[in-house]
């Protein structure tokens, strides 16, 4: 075997190994990527905003991603949640922001909110100077319930409008899910890994194929 023939054989072997690596990595990456998509679809749902009570954070027509299976003990102050309260809002779920948890004291002077005596910073609230300030209130949230407000305080049928009904609160069990911004970190990492494996595998297979083709001996010209 001449030196050139040996070089060609080595290149063919390298090309074959690259294609073999690609044949493993690309399908594996596809499986990982599809698994991430499956997990996301199983644990999240999409909803469309139908009202203006959460403006400017979420406007009419916005498409939101809602994390399913959020237990009552997992809800935190500041969460935007999807909830179903038939005796207050009918059959349609609504989106509101959690301001107080069971046992919290929520008070308003008509312009600002305090929870347990501490002012709450609310940069997300829509400020409308044309609307009058809301009526002051000072309530204690019953255990196992939540006090929720819309970000568009002047146009929201929220807990502040139902103060005579258990301090305006709703049962924590009414929460259907939590609105998320972007993908959950675990799902995003899994999807990124799958995409990286898929692209790397495809690149390795293509590079190996090109190397194998370029190293084929030339076809003799017809006489």
């Amino acid at each position: 075997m001449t030196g050139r023939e040996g070089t060609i054989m080595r290149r063919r072997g390298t090309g074959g190994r690259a294609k073999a690596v690609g044949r493993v990595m690309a399908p594996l990456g596809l499986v990982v990527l599809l698994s991430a998509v499956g997990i996301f679809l199983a644990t999240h749902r999409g909803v469309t905003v139908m009202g203006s009570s959460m403006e400017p954070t979420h406007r009419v027509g916005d498409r939101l991603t809602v994390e399913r299976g959020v237990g009552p003990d997992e809800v935190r102050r500041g969460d935007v949640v999807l909830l179903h309260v038939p005796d207050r809002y009918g059959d349609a779920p609504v989106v509101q922001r959690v301001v107080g948890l069971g046992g919290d004291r929520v008070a308003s002077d008509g312009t600002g909110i305090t929870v347990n005596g501490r002012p709450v910073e609310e940069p997300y609230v829509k400020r409308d100077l044309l609307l009058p300030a809301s009526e002051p209130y000072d309530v204690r949230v019953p255990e196992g319930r939540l006090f929720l407000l819309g970000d568009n305080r002047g146009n929201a049928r929220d807990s502040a409008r139902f103060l005579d009904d258990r301090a305006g609160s709703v049962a924590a069990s009414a929460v259907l899910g939590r609105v998320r911004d972007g993908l959950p970190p675990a799902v995003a990492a899994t999807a990124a890994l799958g995409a990286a494996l898929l692209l790397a595998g495809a690149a390795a297979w293509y590079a190996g194929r090109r190397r194998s083709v370029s190293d084929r001996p030339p076809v003799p010209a017809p006489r």
Side-chain angles (χ1 to χ4, degrees):
M1 181 183 298
T2 65
R4 175 175 171 76
E5 290 173 341
T7 300
I8 291 175
M9 291 298 293
R10 285 193 296 270
R11 287 180 179 174
R12 288 180 183 171
T14 303
R17 286 194 295 272
K19 287 193 292 184
V21 169
R23 290 192 189 101
V24 173
M25 289 182 64
L28 177 61
L30 182 60
V31 170
V32 173
L33 182 58
L34 292 177
S35 297
V37 173
I39 293 171
F40 179 77
L41 293 177
T43 57
H44 293 75
R45 63 182 289 188
V47 298
T48 301
V49 178
M50 303 301 294
S52 61
S53 65
M54 282 299 293
E55 291 182 352
T57 307
H58 302 299
R59 302 181 183 278
V60 175
D62 284 354
R63 189 69 176 168
L64 306 181
T65 299
V66 178
E67 178 186 8
R68 304 175 190 262
V70 177
D73 295 337
E74 299 176 86
V75 178
R76 300 290 179 263
R77 300 182 193 91
D79 284 349
V80 177
V81 297
L82 180 72
L83 63 151
H84 187 215
V85 188
D87 60 344
R88 186 174 294 182
Y89 303 113
D91 290 333
V94 298
V95 176
Q96 292 182 352
R97 188 179 297 275
V98 178
V99 174
L101 307 175
D104 285 345
R105 179 183 177 186
V106 181
S108 171
D109 60 4
T111 56
I113 300 289
T114 63
V115 176
N116 300 324
R118 297 182 179 181
V120 179
E121 296 293 332
E122 298 184 297
Y124 40 76
V125 169
K126 183 176 183 179
R127 308 295 178 183
D128 193 339
L129 299 178
L130 299 179
L131 293 175
S134 62
E135 292 294 326
Y137 56 83
D138 189 339
V139 298
R140 179 76 66 177
V141 184
E143 292 294 339
R145 301 183 68 84
L146 305 171
F147 192 90
L148 303 109
L149 297 175
D151 289 354
N152 185 3
R153 300 285 159 83
N155 188 29
R157 295 181 67 245
D158 50 26
S159 290
R161 304 295 180 93
F162 298 92
L163 295 174
D164 293 336
D165 180 11
R166 287 170 285 190
S169 65
V170 301
S173 59
V175 172
L176 301 176
R178 176 166 39 218
V179 175
R180 296 199 64 104
D181 293 325
L183 293 174
V187 174
T190 303
L193 174 62
L197 288 171
L198 178 60
L199 292 175
W205 181 88
Y206 181 71
R209 182 175 182 277
R210 288 194 61 184
R211 187 173 300 164
S212 297
V213 171
S214 65
D215 287 337
R216 290 175 183 170
V219 178
R223 295 181 179 179

